[in-house]
Amino acid sequence: VEKDPFAFTEEYWTGIELIDDEHKKLFDIIRETNDIIHAQFLHDKYDEIMRLLAELRDYTELHFSEEEALMERIHYPELPSQKRAHAAFVDRLVNIDLDEMEDLDDNQQVYLLDLIQFLLNWLANHILACDKKIGEYMRENHISE
């Protein structure tokens, strides 16, 4: 069975319910965007992709601010590096320039698929390398949400 890259699986769980729920939603939005990019005959595909990327950006900003607030509350030592990573990712999302791509041609398809791959990889790697440590820190220090 081929692994579904958009599945929010157990390996991504931090054990912090709020954070896990938000991460799952981010995975879901990325999956939905990917599905639409692949949809053959969707009318207004471009507008739908724009809408989803805007939703992804807004939800990502909300999630990062809540995650950072949690890290501040628990005096998490790696907060500064987390903030830098978050800021760089938001910057990438804010600067997606689809205006040049009004015509849905092959180049746009390739660009969008590369973008989805980037977003998914970044999120997956960030959760595994950084966010899971927040949960470990909380458990080690007996901090509840």
Side-chain angles (χ1 to χ4, degrees):
V1 183
E2 200 183 332
K3 185 179 178 298
D4 172 4
F6 298 95
F8 184 71
T9 50
E10 216 172 299
E11 67 186 308
Y12 297 118
W13 293 353
T14 62
I16 308 163
E17 194 177 348
L18 169 79
I19 302 300
D20 289 339
D21 288 348
E22 291 184 353
H23 285 161
K24 182 180 185 312
K25 173 136 168 93
L26 290 170
F27 270 73
D28 289 344
I29 300 170
I30 294 172
R31 178 200 294 276
E32 202 182 332
T33 310
N34 181 67
D35 288 347
I36 284 169
I37 294 166
H38 283 285
Q40 261 354 83
F41 304 109
L42 185 66
H43 186 57
D44 293 334
K45 183 167 162 171
Y46 176 84
D47 292 341
E48 188 62 5
I49 292 168
M50 292 298 284
R51 184 188 68 74
L52 281 164
L53 287 173
E55 184 186 347
L56 180 65
R57 185 191 61 228
D58 293 347
Y59 195 78
T60 299
E61 290 183 322
L62 170 78
H63 163 62
F64 286 166
S65 72
E66 294 198 338
E67 196 171 71
E68 288 168 13
L70 169 72
M71 289 187 269
E72 275 175 7
R73 279 200 306 278
I74 66 174
H75 306 294
Y76 185 61
E78 289 179 52
L79 176 62
S81 68
Q82 275 266 29
K83 278 188 159 170
R84 280 194 300 277
H86 288 170
F89 186 67
V90 167
D91 203 47
R92 177 82 172 78
L93 278 172
V94 168
N95 288 308
I96 295 170
D97 188 12
L98 294 186
D99 293 340
E100 298 168 4
M101 305 193 308
E102 276 291 4
D103 29 324
L104 271 161
D105 57 9
D106 295 343
N107 291 349
Q108 189 182 41
Q109 192 86 351
V110 169
Y111 172 84
L112 288 168
L113 291 172
D114 283 351
L115 176 65
I116 288 297
Q117 205 50 57
F118 166 79
L119 297 174
L120 189 65
N121 288 346
W122 188 92
L123 186 60
N125 290 330
H126 181 73
I127 293 171
L128 295 173
C130 305
D131 291 346
K132 288 188 78 158
K133 290 183 185 162
I134 307 169
E136 286 161 20
Y137 173 85
M138 289 175 75
R139 285 186 290 280
E140 281 163 15
N141 293 280
H142 309 292
I143 302 167
S144 59
E145 279 176 73

